[in-house]
Amino acid sequence: MGRSVAQKLIESHLVDGEMVPGTEIGLRIDQTLTQDATGTMVMLELEALALDRVRTDVSVQYVDHNLLQTDERNMADHLFLRSACQRFGLWYSKAGNGVSHPTHMQRFGVPGASMIGSDSHTCAAGSLGMLAIGVGGIDVAMAMAGEPLYVRMPRVWGVRLTGELPPWVSAKDVILEMLRRHGVGGGVQRIVEYHGPGLAGLSAMDRHVIANMGAELGATTTVFPADEQVRRFLRAEQREEDFIELTADPDASYDLTDEIDLSSLEPLIAAPSSPGNVTPVAEVAGEPVHQVVVGSSANPGLRDFAIVAAMLRGRQAHPQVSLDVNPTSRQILADLTAGGATLDLIRSGARIHQTGCLGCIGMGQAPAAGRNSLRTFPRNFPGRSGTADDAVWLCSPETAAAAALTGRITDPRELPDLLGIAYPKLDLPATSGVDTAMLEEPLPEEQARQVELAKAPSIGSLPDFDPLPDTIEAVVGIKVGEDVSTDEIMPAGARALPYRSNTDKLAESVFAGVDPGMRIAQEEIFGPTTALIEVRDFDDAIRVANGIRYGLSSSIYTRDVDKAFRAMRDLVAGITYVNAGTTGAEVHLPFGGTKDTGNGHREAGQAALDVFTEWKSIYVDYSGRLQRAQIDNVKPGE
């Protein structure tokens, strides 16, 4: 029986186990990718391992996340990363050179190779016929040390593409269609492999768009064949010698199958606040829009920016819309500028930002609360934008540009009638303006041994750990429900990312999306609806119980007592109204009646707390001491 592309890639890198779905396998890793948010920890792990030099074919460290230098910590991390690359033998991509995924694809991606990266969208490299998997930092560090990657053998999900994309529909709509059908968990323990005649009309960068958001499907990775489109891409990047053909056998079989007729697709959009909330643009048309952001690793290609520029050429963005453009690499920005498209964007009112992830990971570009922001990004998790009450939609560049022009969500197929805009025919250059000036090569081995790591006071070191025992017994720290996003486990954004090189400080942000603003202290857990809460002082920490979604606690952190009680009213099921201030509180109870308090913040807080205690047993001591309590039989403070 013939082999699929995924099976060929795994077979050629298999060093342990058998290719039986669900069983553990070990894979040889050829390349690694790290970025400055997660790469700092990887470099600290290499230091802890006392590694002399990386043992992969290629390892590259990118600086694309922590670019908002509001204090000294981000630049200190960059200096540390550069010194670590010099010491351990990695390539270093300087700040401003580009987002890791498209830049790696342009400069280092090789069909048939394996790669892991400390970034969930590492899977984008599957667009070139690579086996590329996003993993944790320790897995990357071990691969750099020459160790295999151990994973469970996934099932291979063959998705056959037929037809051609119609005007106003692009690659983003293909992956949004997959999310519409299967949701954010549809790809778990699966490799998505696209095949079929429809591939002929999808460029390598189109495939990058689709492969990138395979992460949002929950897939282990996504793969495409290395065919003529991949050869054309590598030729444009002046790397045609790296091309090898890698396609599925004619009689290849798949563990699961699906099919998409590209010609039947329409513009799609993911509504707040999940990539899986996909609906046709036509069904939500008319919603007002106040921000449009174009860029990110999910739509990184020259084509994705050029189509927006062509649609905006000679026109102004709507007055109420903030139009932001985030170039994904310096090379792409240079090519866009050489073709005149950058000037079209500037004249339309767009703000051109530095190359990097920026608003995609909450580093700036936070939208107004409750106002719709359309973005060509891969994720719209709650609060990821930097605004707690955000309303972020995910869409194609065509749909984004249509909203920028009209000030509302607009099906781009309506633009010929609305504004007289015909579907643009792009004339993109056959050769890219290759520029490697901001890539630093690894130092020679003898010279590298003389390099000392540049560690500022803000950069910690890993603690010494005893070897892991065969059995671990520990208290469960937290219990969460379904669809908990990565940002709720460890937040992106300007608050947490600068501490990625300091494990003690970073730990304070773990599960901040489930319990924001406070560090959960859980010495003992007595039941699924009981939590142990650390409170530093009353004014700085008013806790609000919300067990509705997670079975434990979700909180509001504020110094404003009135805001805290308004949040109680809005968040907690059953309590219909809360009014509180400096003179007291009136709490309307779900079972009827009211509860009044005396004067002062402490009395107001205690009255509301009594209500929550009856409802969901969250126990707080305003003096700052930890309290242990069990539902139904202990009162606050006991």
Side-chain angles (χ1 to χ4, degrees), residues 128-423:
L128 291 183
M130 296 181 68
L131 181 66
I133 304 172
V135 296
I138 188 62
D139 293 314
V140 177
M142 294 302 290
M144 288 181 179
E147 295 297 315
L149 172 71
Y150 283 91
V151 296
R152 278 194 294 165
M153 174 67 192
R155 292 187 292 173
V156 181
W157 186 9
V159 180
R160 187 171 187 267
L161 303 180
T162 62
E164 297 181 2
L165 292 172
W168 305 109
V169 177
S170 59
K172 188 62 157 284
D173 298 302
V174 178
I175 188 59
L176 288 176
E177 172 64 12
M178 286 290 287
L179 284 159
R180 185 191 68 80
R181 294 184 185 188
H182 305 288
V184 294
V188 173
Q189 280 300 304
R190 300 178 182 181
I191 293 177
V192 186
E193 178 173 330
Y194 293 92
H195 63 103
L199 288 176
L202 296 177
S203 70
M205 200 58 86
D206 288 336
R207 298 174 188 189
H208 182 290
V209 174
I210 298 168
N212 178 284
M213 285 189 67
E216 278 57 62
L217 279 169
T220 301
T221 192
T222 296
V223 297
F224 283 85
D227 56 10
E228 190 57 36
Q229 286 285 12
V230 173
R231 183 196 295 272
R232 184 176 295 120
F233 173 82
L234 292 173
R235 183 186 303 129
E237 298 296 330
Q238 300 177 33
R239 292 200 301 119
E240 189 174 4
E241 68 276 7
D242 288 333
F243 176 78
I244 61 166
E245 186 177 66
L246 182 62
T247 60
D249 294 332
D251 59 343
S253 63
Y254 300 93
D255 299 309
L256 308 101
T257 61
D258 201 353
E259 183 166 338
I260 298 176
D261 178 3
L262 299 179
S263 62
S264 69
L265 294 183
E266 61 179 309
L268 297 170
I269 193 167
S273 290
S274 169
N277 291 341
V278 178
T279 188
V281 174
E283 293 185 8
V284 292
E287 289 278 342
V289 173
H290 289 82
Q291 184 189 52
V292 171
V293 191
V294 177
S296 91
S297 64
N299 275 108
L302 177 63
R303 179 259 174 214
D304 295 320
F305 296 100
I307 194 75
V308 173
M311 291 170 66
L312 291 166
R313 184 175 297 133
R315 299 174 176 84
Q316 267 286 309
H318 192 279
Q320 79 179 19
V321 175
S322 171
L323 175 57
D324 297 73
V325 176
N326 301 343
T328 43
S329 77
R330 199 169 67 114
Q331 177 179 310
I332 288 172
L333 177 58
D335 287 343
L336 194 71
T337 302
T342 301
L343 190 57
D344 290 332
L345 290 169
I346 293 171
R347 286 173 172 164
S348 74
R351 292 187 290 164
I352 312 297
H353 297 268
Q354 64 177 312
T355 58
C357 299
L358 308 180
C360 185
I361 42 89
M363 280 290 187
Q365 301 176 322
R371 303 288 184 141
N372 290 323
S373 172
L374 266 64
R375 302 177 168 206
T376 63
F377 291 178
R379 290 177 175 165
N380 59 345
F381 301 146
R384 180 179 174 87
S385 67
T387 300
D389 186 22
D390 59 10
V392 174
W393 306 65
L394 308 176
C395 64
S396 69
E398 292 88 340
T399 299
L405 287 165
T406 63
R408 61 184 187 272
I409 296 178
T410 301
D411 188 330
R413 296 174 298 182
E414 301 298 322
L415 290 180
D417 293 333
L418 286 175
L419 300 177
I421 300 176
Y423 183 65

Side-chain angles (χ1 to χ4, degrees), residues 33-35 37-38 64-65 100-101 116-123 133-136 140 212 297 357 361 379:
L33 173 155
T34 48
Q35 35 88 337
T38 56
D64 59 2
H65 276 56
S100 60
H101 310 299
I116 60 174
S118 58
D119 187 291
S120 56
H121 292 111
T122 300
C123 52
I133 304 172
V135 296
V140 177
N212 178 284
S297 64
C357 299
I361 42 89
R379 290 177 175 165

Side-chain angles (χ1 to χ4, degrees), residues 20 36 53 56 140 166 186 275 293 323 364 407 421 432 438 484 510 519 541 547 568 631:
V20 177
D36 50 317
R53 192 172 181 86
T56 49
V140 177
V293 191
L323 175 57
I421 300 176
S432 299
M438 293 179 73
V484 176
V510 176
R519 188 173 183 174
M568 291 179 186
I631 189 168

